[in-house]
Structures are given as structure tokens and as C-alpha cells.
Amino acid sequence: MKTWHEIRRFPLAVRLLLVNQFGVNTGFYLLVPYLATHLTENLGLSAVVVGVVLGVRNLSQQGLFLIGGSASDRLGARGVIIAGCALRTVGFALFALGDDLAVLLAASVLSGFAGALFNPAVRAYLAQEAEERRAEAFALFHVFATAGALVGPLLGSALLLVDFRASALAAAGIFAVLTVAQALVLPAREAAPSWGTVLADWREVLGNRAFRAFSLAMVGMFTLENQLYLLLPDGARRATGWDGAAGLVLVLGTLAGLAFQLRITRALGRRGDRARWIAVGLGLMALAFLPPVLVTGTGGGGPDGTADAVLRALPVLAGALLLHLGVMVAQPFVMELIPGFGRPGLTGTYFGIFYVVSGVAAALGNAVVGRAMDAGRHGDTAWLPWACCALFGLASALGVARLRRLGSLPAPPKPAAPATSGEAREDRGAGERREGQEVQEVQGGTPT
């Protein structure tokens, strides 16, 4: 209940963006996990064509985050968020209505580009609105995102009992509702004036050595976080012999996030600098891959009965809980620090480039872990993927710790100083004038 009380203390824009992220992840995971099965079994496409369709969607998103970030800085985050959600509405609807390869490719491009637009824009908007409570806002953002990632597949499984098109149309409907809600409720904020070119903005961000070093140091976080959908579910299935055990990995994280995320972020935010806790979180993520080795890293057969399956599940779930805990410790402070690397007018660009790096890292990291999983299954090295993940996390933790020692990381935003009585009266007057102006704009239908 305390979490919900804290949510109400944030501005309306922040609350809407939290709900928006829940809806975004619900709609995404309602459709995308089942897309490959639909393309192969329902449409009869070859594995090569399916790979192209899925690859185009991923490339359109991961490769174009930079475009979305720059658009957010120059055009305003609100409009970019709305445009992204509208494009994903169209893209997911095309998956439901189109069987032709050209239509499917168009749907992949639109849905991927939509994510490239609203992902950095949402984070830039959230960072600007939350101000000194940025870490807490991103902590809640993670909770809502995780909850959506859990609800989406469950809802998708139920809708697949009808057919895939029902699932795709439901996903499109969610994004349509989000688009309308943002257009009606999300306040407009003027974009900071920019005097240079977009290329100059990119050069400025990429030329920031501290930001480059931090982005590379965080490669381990995104690689390990992706194992919530690859290595840990596979380990849970192998340890217990039950396919449903994979879902427990996500359920555990969602419940832990709802119960502890905000408390952890607040408690750690008052104790020491952010870089220390980012390094600690990465260390916990590295340790998370050691307990499952006890039951999955030795090869061998499956469990001997239900009681043995439960016992074998415990080390895997302990690892999943440690991984979730590490993410809860590190991620809000990572998101809080990113805008501090540069000037406010480039917040979206910084997030865009950071997510390009994270997308590439996740793809390469998953390839390495997947290769290690294959090697472990065909030899006596079932421990290999777990060891790889532990090393990824350790390397990232050491990288952040070194940046902290060098003093390369920005300080978190400071709370605003209390105003004097005269200043307070002046601020209230200015606020009243702004509110009156906003009311006139809404009544007059001023376009944004």
C-alpha cells in the first residue's frame, strides 16, 4: 500500500507514464512471444523468412533508438511518445490483418520504429518531470514494466485459445488506448532550443568519454537482465522437468519488485553515492548465476519425483531472486545518472545512444550465452553459460567501480532549495498565471 501512496505523490504526467509502461509491456509481450509460431504454423512461412521478419522488427527498434532520442530533444518528448504509440497500434494491427510478406515486413518496421521513438522519449520525459526524485520514478517505472512483462504473456496465452489475430488486435487496442490517453492527459513541454545540427548533437554525446565508458561498463547489466528470458527459464525447466517452472522466474521478480523496489531505492539513495550501489547491484547480478550451477551445471538426468523437483527448483529460484535484487539495486540509479552526463537539451539523445549500446550488448551477450548453452548440452560443461554470465556481471561491476574511483560519473540531481516567503509568493503567482494560460490553451484547442 505504501508503494501506491508514493505513486500518488508524483505529478500526473509521471503517473501516466508509469501506467503507459505497464500497457506498453503488456501489449508487447501479449503479441511478440507468439509471433514466430504464428508465422510458421498459421502462415506456413519458412524459418528463413520468419527470421527476416523478426530481425527487421528488432533492427528497426534497436538500430533507430538514436533517431527517437534526437526527435525527443528537438520536437518534444510528448509528441514523439504519442507518435510512437500510434505507429505501434498500426504495426500490431497489420500483424492481425495481413498475411502477405510485404504487409508483415511493413508491420515489423512500423512496430520496431515505434519502440525506437517512444522508449528514449518516455525516459527523457520521466527524467525531466521527476527532477530530484528521478531514481524513485525510475524504480517505479521498472516495477510497472516488469508487471506488464508478466501480464502480457498470460493474457496472450488466453487469447491464443481464440486465435492469433485476437491477440494481435488486443495488443493494437492497448496501444490505441495509450495513444489517446497521452494525447488527452500528458502535458506538453517545450523542447529546449537547439542551435546546431543533429549530427553535431550525436558527436557531442559520442565525444563524452565518461558517458562512453559508463555505457560500455553497463553492457553486463543488460546481458544478464536478458537471461530472465533465456538462461534462467531454461535452467528452471531442466532442474524441475516442468515447463511451467520458467514462469516462476518472472512471477518471483514481479512480486519482489512490487514489495521492495521503492523501499530499496529510497534506502540506498540516502546511503552513499549512486555509483557504489550500481557496482553492488552488478555484483549481486553476477552472484545470481552461481546457485543454479548446483542443479544445472553438472548435467545428469531430471528430478526423481515431485519432492526432488521442488528441491532442485530452489537454487534456480534463489538465483532468479538475486538477479532481480541486483537489477532493483542498480537500474534506477543507472537511469538517474544518464541525464547528468550532458546538458538538459540532449537528454533524449543520451538515452537513445545508451539504448543502442544496450541493444547491441544484449544481442551479442545472448549469442555468447546461447553458444555456451549449446556447448554445455553436448559435453560435460553444463556450468559454462552460468560461468559466462557471472564473469559478465563481475566485469561490469569492476568497470563501474573504477569509474567511481576516477570520479568520472555525474552527481545525482539535488533537491530544490526551500524558497523564501517572498519567492514563494512570486512562484505561486507565476504558477497561477501558467495554470490560467494552460486552461486557455486547452479550451482554445491549441495544437502541440
Side-chain angles (χ1 to χ4, degrees):
M1 294 298 294
K2 186 176 181 180
T3 298
W4 302 115
H5 174 72
E6 291 301 324
I7 290 172
R8 291 196 297 270
R9 293 181 55 200
F10 279 99
L12 177 60
V14 173
R15 284 179 276 158
L16 178 60
L17 292 177
L18 296 178
V19 174
N20 176 79
Q21 191 60 23
F22 173 78
V24 164
N25 273 20
T26 298
F28 180 85
Y29 287 102
L30 190 157
L31 169 71
V32 173
Y34 310 104
L35 181 57
T37 302
H38 167 66
L39 296 177
T40 54
E41 295 183 2
N42 297 340
L43 301 186
L45 300 179
S46 68
V48 173
V49 174
V50 172
V52 169
V53 172
L54 297 180
V56 164
R57 194 212 66 79
N58 191 61
L59 181 62
S60 298
Q61 179 162 320
Q62 302 293 347
L64 297 177
F65 274 132
L66 188 53
I67 303 296
S70 293
S72 172
D73 291 334
R74 289 177 170 264
L75 304 177
R78 176 181 180 272
V80 176
I81 295 170
I82 294 170
C85 283
L87 281 178
R88 184 157 281 184
T89 301
V90 176
F92 280 5
L94 286 177
F95 277 126
L97 303 175
D99 297 337
D100 186 73
L101 179 57
V103 175
L104 294 173
L105 288 175
S108 292
V109 171
L110 288 176
S111 59
F113 182 51
L117 287 177
F118 63 67
N119 272 316
V122 163
R123 286 156 178 82
Y125 199 116
L126 191 66
Q128 293 162 359
E129 288 291 313
E131 297 179 340
E132 72 275 3
R133 298 185 66 195
R134 193 180 292 163
E136 295 175 28
F138 278 113
L140 290 170
F141 189 80
H142 177 66
V143 171
F144 277 76
T146 304
L150 174 66
V151 172
L154 296 177
L155 183 57
S157 297
L159 289 172
L160 282 177
L161 297 176
V162 182
D163 62 13
F164 174 82
R165 297 181 191 280
S167 182
L169 288 174
I174 290 173
F175 279 96
V177 171
L178 293 176
T179 303
V180 173
Q182 290 154 2
L184 294 176
V185 179
L186 199 62
R189 298 287 183 265
E190 289 187 9
S194 180
W195 295 275
T197 65
V198 172
L199 289 178
D201 291 347
W202 294 355
R203 283 195 298 268
E204 180 179 338
V205 176
L206 291 172
N208 188 323
R209 294 178 61 185
F211 174 70
R212 287 204 316 266
F214 181 70
S215 298
L216 293 175
M218 296 312 302
V219 162
M221 187 181 82
F222 291 100
T223 299
L224 299 193
E225 193 175 4
N226 267 262
Q227 303 318 307
L228 290 169
Y229 308 99
L230 178 62
L231 183 58
L232 279 165
D234 182 76
R237 285 190 292 264
R238 290 179 175 276
T240 64
W242 175 46
D243 287 343
L248 295 178
V249 171
L250 290 177
V251 171
L252 188 65
T254 300
L255 295 178
L258 288 171
F260 302 114
Q261 174 69 84
L262 187 58
R263 297 179 184 179
I264 289 173
T265 302
R266 278 189 156 181
L268 297 182
R270 294 191 294 263
R271 295 174 174 85
D273 62 273
R274 272 51 171 162
R276 174 196 296 175
W277 299 122
I278 293 172
V280 169
L282 290 167
L284 289 173
M285 294 174 73
L287 290 175
F289 293 89
L290 300 183
V293 176
L294 298 174
V295 292
T296 64
T298 57
D304 184 16
T306 303
D308 187 39
V310 172
L311 289 175
R312 287 168 61 88
L314 293 179
V316 180
L317 293 180
L321 185 58
L322 267 177
L323 183 57
H324 283 294
L325 179 61
V327 173
M328 285 191 284
V329 169
Q331 191 176 70
F333 297 129
V334 172
M335 297 293 104
E336 181 188 40
L337 288 186
I338 289 173
F341 280 100
R343 53 189 172 89
L346 288 183
T347 297
T349 304
Y350 273 95
F351 274 111
I353 290 180
F354 185 76
Y355 274 94
V356 169
V357 173
S358 71
V360 174
L364 294 178
N366 277 346
V368 172
V369 174
R371 181 69 183 89
M373 290 170 67
D374 290 338
R377 289 168 187 164
H378 297 101
D380 296 325
T381 56
W383 51 267
L384 186 58
W386 306 95
C388 285
C389 289
L391 290 175
F392 279 140
L394 180 61
S396 281
L398 292 175
V400 172
R402 176 170 174 75
L403 290 174
R404 176 176 177 263
R405 286 196 303 270
L406 294 174
S408 301
L409 301 179
K414 295 181 179 180
T420 64
S421 59
E423 290 171 339
R425 286 193 299 270
E426 184 177 345
D427 289 343
R428 283 197 299 270
E432 291 169 358
R433 289 191 295 273
R434 284 194 299 270
E435 290 174 1
Q437 183 179 1
E438 288 173 358
V439 169
Q440 291 176 355
E441 289 176 352
V442 171
Q443 292 174 342
T446 302
T448 57

